[in-house]
Amino acid sequence: MKNEELQAIASQLKHPTGEKGIEMANMMHETNINMTRNSIQNLNIKEGDSILELGHGNAGHLEFLFEQAQKLKYYGLEMSELMFHEARQINRNFVSQKQAFFSLYDGNIIPFEEAFFNKIFTVNTIYFWEEPEKLLLEIYSVLKPSGIFCITFAEESFMKQLPFTKFEFELYSTEKVEKLVQKTPFKIIKIATLTEKVKTKTGELVDRDFTTLVLEK
């Protein structure tokens, strides 16, 4: 693939737009579903929790999230207008029942008041954070005391094998994320790395290592 094509894939992964963006979102949902479910399970969701997700994509995983407990409220923040509309459409029942709320944001400022959420999670977004330390402090601020934040990402060792990650991506190892978290007041309460088989664009099966860090306020 030419550099321009690789750059275009990287841009779509960061900020899906147009018809290609919808294709990309469907593909991301399928390839990331294990990572997303793992992140949700590590939140230890309880009845009545308010949950925030950063960068939800098409949010095809909400049914799984709402199965975790009763009386949940889910809030999704997304930088891509296309994904905002797509997620609302896919989850229109949850939206009309006032269980799911979607908003656009700039990727830096979280537009909620302090101590609003019990649980927060994000999957495969850390590569695109412009100011990681600042964003972690924003997340810390909107979490309730003893609230949990799960951050799930594919390990640098896997990601650097993908030709498009040299554009727009900042790659992370577990150690690098730990160092970042240590600059904030968060406590790391669990680190879990799993390996799964995923299909490449050419249809081959490869091993992907991904990690979830469970942080507590």
Side-chain angles (χ1 to χ4, degrees):
M1 269 194 184
K2 296 192 183 111
N3 272 352
E4 299 86 72
E5 293 171 283
L6 295 171
Q7 170 91 59
I9 291 171
S11 294
Q12 282 289 7
L13 287 167
K14 180 180 180 180
H15 195 129
T17 53
E19 268 178 49
K20 276 268 184 286
I22 289 178
E23 274 173 43
M24 187 65 82
N26 292 335
M27 186 205 77
M28 282 196 286
H29 170 70
E30 282 167 32
T31 55
N32 295 338
I33 191 64
N34 281 344
M35 294 177 75
T36 304
R37 287 180 172 182
N38 185 265
S39 212
I40 290 168
Q41 283 164 332
N42 273 294
L43 287 171
N44 193 16
I45 291 170
K46 301 275 197 288
E47 184 173 332
D49 274 353
S50 287
I51 302 156
L52 173 66
E53 181 179 12
L54 303 180
H56 49 69
N58 70 11
H61 49 274
L62 283 208
E63 203 162 318
F64 177 78
L65 182 138
F66 282 117
E67 286 167 3
Q68 305 302 307
Q70 299 291 310
K71 299 182 183 151
L72 302 178
K73 286 213 182 314
Y74 166 94
Y75 296 79
L77 285 179
E78 181 56 72
M79 287 162 61
S80 159
E81 203 166 327
L82 179 71
M83 290 302 98
F84 163 73
H85 291 300
E86 193 72 356
R88 277 181 60 86
Q89 171 62 20
I90 287 171
N91 295 289
R92 54 193 178 278
N93 290 346
F94 295 129
V95 171
S96 66
Q97 288 160 19
K98 300 211 168 358
Q99 289 175 282
F101 306 85
F102 294 98
S103 310
L104 284 162
Y105 83 133
D106 66 358
N108 298 307
I109 306 288
I110 296 180
F112 289 96
E113 61 200 59
E114 285 187 19
F116 191 84
F117 297 103
N118 309 93
K119 310 281 161 69
I120 301 179
F121 72 110
T122 192
V123 179
N124 282 334
T125 68
I126 191 171
Y127 331 113
F128 309 119
W129 293 3
E130 287 170 12
E131 296 184 82
E133 202 180 323
K134 263 194 184 164
L135 187 57
L136 279 176
L137 292 172
E138 282 277 308
I139 292 164
Y140 189 87
S141 161
V142 298
L143 256 184
K144 292 179 177 174
S146 302
I148 297 293
F149 171 45
C150 284
I151 175 165
T152 302
F153 59 96
E155 286 284 342
E156 180 176 18
S157 52
F158 169 78
M159 293 293 281
K160 66 184 183 197
Q161 298 169 45
L162 306 175
F164 50 80
T165 57
K166 60 186 176 195
F167 303 100
E168 311 219 24
F169 281 73
E170 174 75 37
L171 302 183
Y172 285 86
S173 61
T174 298
E175 295 71 31
K176 188 169 167 182
V177 180
E178 280 184 84
K179 281 189 179 138
L180 173 62
V181 171
Q182 281 157 7
K183 296 176 181 172
T184 74
F186 272 116
K187 293 196 295 277
I188 299 174
I189 56 172
K190 180 181 172 185
I191 299 174
T193 300
L194 298 172
T195 304
E196 63 173 343
K197 296 255 183 233
V198 287
K199 258 190 188 166
T200 64
K201 294 217 170 17
T202 50
E204 298 161 89
L205 280 176
V206 293
D207 285 335
R208 170 166 70 180
D209 291 341
F210 70 88
T211 299
T212 296
L213 267 77
V214 184
L215 313 180
E216 186 180 43
K217 179 164 178 175

